[in-house]
Amino acid sequence: GAVVSQHPSWVICKSGTSVKIECRSLDFQATTMFWYRQFPKQSLMLMATSNEGSKATYEQGVEKDKFLINHASLTLSTLTVTSAHPEDSSFYICSARPGGAGPYEQYFGPGTRLTVT
Amino acid sequence: AQKVTQAQTEISVVEKEDVTLDCVYETRDTTYYLFWYKQPPSGELVFLIRRNSFDEQNEISGRYSWNFQKSTSSFNFTITASQVVDSAVYFCALSRVQGAQKLVFGQGTRLTINP
């Protein structure tokens, strides 16, 4: 149980274009989803927290107009990197947390490696 | 503010040795969760353990064991009789009990087990 998928697993795009990454919880409903960015040999940095049906909450220093997050359903959240630049090249990881008040751990997707040329 | 420190950036040991990964955390919360995750070369995070702050019992799961010392704000992870498949980056993380329970990760420890 508790599987989270991401699509695509890797993507190469040209500078100035936008790219969308999907995060899906396959066998549970995720009230909350999280988006992380991980640069090579570094830790995971939380970018934003999204709750189904409401606007995402961005961490300090993350440009909300550049990283658009949509959590349209209880099983799908998307991250769109707009006007991508080479410095946006990174490993993007989503996680999903089931609904309710329990101490549910976050289930992580396999990540999406973005390369901007 | 919450903070997690993993002082060991890289550790390299020979197979079958025991190895301990250190984790020190800071929080003003009286209750919180602590986690360990494994990130193999594939990149996908693997959940290893969650520990509630009120439960200071040490835990053992096969070759893995965890030592939670609230007095020193540490949550160390030991692998006994290490194997090559244990090679990965290991992250310690902390979250609040309330709210979204966002994870704050340590810098990670890259563990290499040599045959």
Side-chain angles (χ1 to χ4, degrees):
Chain A
V3 178
V4 175
S5 70
Q6 277 185 245
H7 179 80
S9 55
W10 60 269
V11 57
I12 301 173
C13 71
K14 292 188 176 181
S15 187
T17 62
S18 296
V19 60
K20 180 184 286 188
I21 301 169
E22 292 185 350
C23 176
R24 294 182 185 271
S25 56
L26 299 185
D27 51 4
F28 67 96
Q29 293 188 326
T31 303
T32 306
M33 286 185 168
F34 303 86
W35 287 95
Y36 297 85
R37 181 167 51 181
Q38 185 180 31
F39 291 109
K41 297 193 175 184
Q42 294 190 22
S43 187
L44 283 78
M45 296 301 296
L46 180 65
M47 299 175 67
T49 303
S50 74
N51 290 294
E52 185 264 339
S54 61
K55 289 184 179 180
T57 301
Y58 290 81
E59 295 298 302
Q60 193 172 8
V62 177
E63 300 173 60
K64 61 181 180 181
D65 294 331
K66 180 171 183 62
F67 299 99
L68 302 179
I69 292 171
N70 187 336
H71 192 163
S73 77
L74 285 172
T75 58
L76 173 65
S77 176
T78 61
L79 166 68
T80 301
V81 183
T82 62
S83 187
H85 291 284
E87 56 265 31
D88 298 323
S89 298
S90 187
F91 192 51
Y92 291 87
I93 306 171
C94 74
S95 69
R97 182 170 170 267
Y104 303 111
E105 54 261 12
Q106 293 179 28
Y107 299 99
F108 284 83
T112 296
R113 194 164 301 281
L114 169 64
T115 302
V116 184
T117 60
Chain B
Q2 299 188 317
K3 183 179 179 181
V4 176
T5 301
Q6 295 178 255
Q8 304 151 307
T9 306
E10 295 190 26
I11 299 175
S12 180
V13 300
V14 177
E15 199 172 19
K16 298 184 182 176
E17 287 186 14
D18 298 348
V19 58
T20 296
L21 282 62
D22 297 333
C23 172
V24 175
Y25 62 92
E26 297 175 27
T27 180
R28 293 180 180 173
D29 293 347
T30 53
T31 57
Y32 45 88
Y33 294 122
L34 292 163
F35 303 79
W36 275 95
Y37 287 89
K38 173 182 181 180
Q39 187 177 41
S42 64
E44 184 166 1
L45 265 75
V46 177
F47 168 80
L48 296 178
I49 189 172
R50 180 190 67 237
R51 174 49 51 89
N52 192 310
S53 57
F54 62 70
D55 179 5
E56 292 195 63
Q57 293 277 340
N58 290 330
E59 182 154 342
I60 298 174
S61 177
R63 296 184 297 106
Y64 296 170
S65 62
W66 290 269
N67 186 326
F68 177 31
Q69 296 282 341
K70 204 168 182 178
S71 59
T72 56
S73 296
S74 66
F75 186 43
N76 297 336
F77 172 34
T78 297
I79 301 175
T80 303
S82 60
Q83 300 176 0
V84 173
V85 293
D86 296 325
S87 297
V89 180
Y90 291 85
F91 291 98
C92 180
L94 169 70
S95 83
R96 311 190 75 173
V97 170
Q98 307 297 331
Q101 299 180 12
K102 296 187 292 186
L103 288 169
V104 175
F105 284 88
Q107 301 91 320
T109 297
R110 182 174 301 274
L111 176 63
T112 302
I113 311 297
N114 300 297

